[in-house]
């Protein structure tokens, strides 16, 4: 069983992926660790598309596995490798507050350009993650998609995903 948790930056994809993988005894995979070449300096150098796709395809052989993040445009081999996709939607003010707090905690400062980019998710930035891009991508997936809206506690999200797994076979 392979589950993909996706949504806007700050919507809780990594947090839910971690909690769900712990609950299921599954491998926990993070899209950023495939997309970015190295952690320092953070988010500076992108891994070549073929390399990240091959790495993720290899790691998705783990069963069960939960992937958090966004893999839009990575290729059908990995995009259609899931039994369930969970799409998290959270209003922008909550997401941006979470991102600001996370940036301060991780880096001691806030990257205002990043927050501006993340704040454009609902309207659709010129590149990267956007609500319109995610909706179109989700509509073209082969597996069921479960949408979770709002600022639900992590435990409640986990329970909803588990219920979604049961209802989708």
């Amino acid at each position: 069983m392979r589950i993909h948790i996706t949504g806007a930056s700050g919507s809780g994809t990594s947090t839910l992926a971690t909690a769900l993988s712990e609950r299921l005894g599954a491998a926990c995979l993070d899209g950023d660790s495939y997309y970015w070449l190295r952690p320092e300096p953070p988010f500076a150098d992108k891994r070549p598309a073929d390399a990240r796709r091959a790495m993720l395809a290899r790691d998705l052989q783990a069963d069960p596995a939960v992937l958090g993040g966004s893999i839009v445009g990575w290729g059908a081999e990995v995009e259609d490798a899931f039994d369930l996709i969970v799409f998290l939607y959270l209003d922008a003010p909550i997401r941006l507050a979470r991102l600001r707090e996370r940036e301060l905690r991780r880096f001691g400062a806030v990257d205002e350009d990043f927050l501006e980019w993340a704040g454009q998710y609902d309207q659709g930035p010129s590149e990267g993650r956007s609500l319109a891009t995610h909706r179109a991508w989700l509509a073209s997936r082969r597996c069921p998609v479960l949408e979770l809206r709002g600022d639900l506690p992590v435990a409640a999200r986990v329970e909803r995903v588990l219920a979604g797994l049961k209802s989708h076979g």
Side-chain angles (χ1 to χ4, degrees), residues 125-139:
S126 59
E127 60 183 56
R129 289 189 207 182
S130 74
L131 182 57
T133 300
H134 265 143
R135 292 248 183 250
W137 183 81
L138 292 166

Side-chain angles (χ1 to χ4, degrees), residues 39-63:
E40 293 297 328
F43 314 115
D45 299 313
K46 297 175 185 175
R47 186 181 311 280
D50 288 344
R52 71 175 175 250
R53 185 174 33 257
M55 289 172 62
L56 180 55
R58 179 199 66 223
D59 291 350
L60 283 173
Q61 292 176 19
D63 192 6

Side-chain angles (χ1 to χ4, degrees), residues 106-117:
R106 282 186 182 170
F107 308 118
V110 175
D111 181 340
E112 294 297 336
D113 290 337
F114 169 66
L115 286 184
E116 182 179 337
W117 170 84

Side-chain angles (χ1 to χ4, degrees), residues 68-84:
S70 182
I71 58 169
V72 173
W74 287 31
E77 175 186 5
V78 292
E79 293 177 25
D80 288 324
F82 299 95
D83 301 299
L84 178 69

Side-chain angles (χ1 to χ4, degrees), residues 86-152:
V86 179
F87 175 66
L88 302 180
Y89 182 83
L90 193 57
D91 291 331
I94 298 169
R95 287 188 297 100
L96 294 176
R98 286 179 173 185
L99 289 171
R100 182 172 294 283
E101 180 182 310
R102 183 176 78 188
E103 291 270 306
L104 284 170
R105 186 177 61 249
R106 282 186 182 170
F107 308 118
V110 175
D111 181 340
E112 294 297 336
D113 290 337
F114 169 66
L115 286 184
E116 182 179 337
W117 170 84
Q120 297 174 25
Y121 178 81
D122 290 314
Q123 293 78 31
S126 59
E127 60 183 56
R129 289 189 207 182
S130 74
L131 182 57
T133 300
H134 265 143
R135 292 248 183 250
W137 183 81
L138 292 166
S140 66
R141 301 290 43 96
R142 292 188 212 167
C143 70
V145 174
L146 172 66
E147 182 170 335
L148 300 180
R149 296 182 69 86
D151 193 16
L152 303 168

